[in-house]
Amino acid sequence: MKFLLSALFVGFALPAFASNISSFELDNGMEVVVLEDHRAPVVVHTVWYKVGAADEAPGKSGIAHFLEHLMFKGTDKMENGELSETVTRNGGSDNAFTSWDYTAYYQRVAADRLPLMMKMEADRMRGLQMTEGDVATERDVVLAERNQRTDSDPSALFREQMRAAQFLNHPYGIPVIGWRHEIEQLNRDDAFAFYRQYYAPNNAILVVAGDVYPDDVRQLAETYYGPIAPTIGLQDRVRPTEPPQRAERRMAMRDPRVSQPYVTRSYIAPERNSGDQSDAAALTILANLLGGDGATSYLGQALMFEDPKAIYVSTSYGGASLDLATFGLVIVPVPGVSLDDAEAALDATIARFLAEGVDMEQFERLKTQLRASLIYKQDNIEGLAREVGANLAIGLSIEDIEAWPDVLAAVTPEDVMAAARSVFAKSNAVTGHLMPETAPMEGTQ
């Protein structure tokens, strides 16, 4: 959520979902959620598997994302690429994505094409076929993707190193795309083993949104997904836990490709939990109060205007995760200000915020923006489908999702300050300086 609200806004009626939400479960364990929205004859069909990069076996990093690529190969009933070609031929769009906590596949098509989408998606849930040639080709594609998005971008490489330093034991420290040397070793047996274990109806969530009716979706789901056998003995998601961080971790990286140096810091923070989303709501509001609006935020006003030290500041909170979350800060200094001085200014501004507390005028100014943002979200049925699917895949319930606006509305200034005092401990942080190769050495670098 991008905007803040006032404590006086608690009694205001906030919209949850304009769409009607219903859910049921098939006999094979597959969860099904229907979001009705009859404003346009369009449907979004999404399947979410409750497995991601953080569920990979040691030494097999990238296998979840690799399998996502391979899922667009053929089955006994479909040729390579046939699903995407069919979607395009029917005037729709499709894609897939992998995170640490889930892998998702979606199609957006005319509503009367929903049976076809279910038929094809259900077919590749258990019927995927891949040759050694398919695997070799797609492995090269993934390596090229890593080269383009990560290895050729010093900021991406730096973020990857920062995250690895943040999580010493939890697999959230491993990149979703995988480490290059491990991607190079992934093979057909690895892909099939992962596929057969995790791609099953009892490990999947079907979210259908748009111009549909629940009874029709139920009948289609029972027809196409219902006959698929579940994985027997599928284990609960148990991951290594992160030990307490007892000292600040710092790193500096130099790269000749860096054109703009900056300082970034991330803190371990609590995630959004089912039944108790209050901490996540307070951190969401804290992040947007401090830096969510850029120049008009607390950090923006202090560091870009009052005493100009930065050309850019931002904050972020990634609370939508199964396990631990992170709270991030970034400051890009103005020319002539060192990274050490920029970091000191950032720390001083945070200390001032902790001493002064929340500015109630800012709360009031952002009330209308919060309401508007919640209403505007209802216009994007694809976005709603993704929000619901992602939240369910990390263990939240439909009740949690619908309650989220009210949980945000209940946050008080005292809650925000308690969250700030809890998260802003350098012993819980990783601080990094990214610099050009030719930058002069500074005291802490």
Side-chain angles (χ1 to χ4, degrees), residues 85-387:
E85 291 170 4
T86 301
V87 171
T88 301
R89 192 165 58 247
N90 282 275
S93 60
D94 77 315
N95 213 326
F97 44 90
T98 306
S99 80
W100 282 279
D101 294 319
Y102 51 77
T103 310
Y105 302 84
Y106 73 91
Q107 301 91 33
R108 180 186 177 97
V109 293
D112 62 357
R113 300 298 192 271
L114 178 59
L116 179 59
M117 295 302 100
M118 279 205 192
K119 178 181 179 181
M120 300 181 84
E121 192 67 74
D123 181 39
R124 67 174 173 175
M125 178 178 283
R126 286 296 206 189
L128 181 65
Q129 298 296 323
M130 63 183 100
T131 66
E132 292 289 359
D134 291 333
V135 171
T137 298
E138 215 56 47
R139 186 171 54 232
D140 288 342
V141 170
V142 172
L143 287 168
E145 181 181 333
R146 180 181 166 90
N147 184 62
Q148 179 183 15
R149 297 185 179 181
T150 305
D151 296 337
S152 63
D153 182 350
S155 291
L157 282 172
F158 190 50
R159 289 193 298 270
E160 186 177 81
Q161 293 294 304
M162 288 278 294
R163 193 170 182 95
Q166 183 86 79
F167 295 99
L168 296 183
N169 196 50
H170 194 285
Y172 281 166
I174 298 171
V176 170
I177 197 168
W179 300 114
R180 172 172 285 273
H181 67 285
E182 293 186 347
I183 299 172
E184 292 172 340
Q185 303 302 316
L186 296 177
N187 57 48
R188 186 170 178 268
D189 289 342
D190 296 330
F192 265 128
F194 195 83
Y195 172 70
R196 288 166 179 157
Q197 181 174 3
Y198 294 113
Y199 278 53
N202 55 326
N203 199 44
I205 304 165
L206 170 64
V207 179
V208 179
D211 190 17
V212 293
Y213 294 95
D215 288 345
D216 295 337
V217 173
R218 179 190 290 270
Q219 182 178 1
L220 289 171
E222 289 175 344
T223 298
Y224 294 110
Y225 291 106
I228 302 174
T231 292
I232 304 302
L234 186 66
Q235 300 297 310
D236 292 337
R237 303 170 86 176
V238 178
R239 296 164 171 174
T241 56
E242 190 68 15
Q245 183 176 337
R246 307 199 181 277
E248 181 188 13
R249 299 163 191 163
R250 300 185 64 87
M251 63 172 55
M253 177 175 157
R254 296 186 182 277
D255 192 298
R257 298 169 293 179
V258 173
S259 58
Q260 178 63 67
Y262 61 85
V263 179
T264 182
R265 181 182 297 148
S266 63
Y267 303 83
I268 291 288
E271 71 279 7
R272 192 173 158 191
N273 289 311
S274 181
D276 184 5
Q277 304 178 88
S278 56
D279 287 345
L283 288 166
T284 298
I285 292 178
L286 173 65
N288 288 281
L289 174 63
L290 286 178
D293 285 336
T296 62
S297 66
Y298 187 91
L299 292 178
Q301 287 292 308
L303 296 169
M304 297 173 68
F305 296 104
E306 294 174 12
D307 182 17
K309 291 289 194 298
I311 59 173
Y312 174 79
V313 292
S314 73
T315 57
S316 62
Y317 168 62
S321 60
L322 184 64
D323 298 320
L324 296 169
T326 58
F327 191 102
L329 305 169
V330 175
I331 178 169
V332 181
V334 299
V337 172
S338 70
L339 295 187
D340 285 341
D341 289 343
E343 183 184 347
L346 178 65
D347 285 338
T349 306
I350 292 173
R352 191 179 84 183
F353 173 78
L354 291 171
E356 293 178 349
V358 172
D359 181 273
M360 288 303 297
E361 186 176 342
Q362 272 192 305
F363 266 54
E364 291 303 316
R365 189 180 73 245
L366 294 173
K367 280 194 289 188
T368 302
Q369 293 173 317
L370 173 65
R371 173 172 167 74
S373 71
L374 292 170
I375 293 174
Y376 293 153
K377 285 174 65 177
Q378 313 309 313
D379 289 332
N380 186 345
I381 192 64
E382 184 174 334
L384 287 177
R386 290 197 187 193
E387 180 179 352

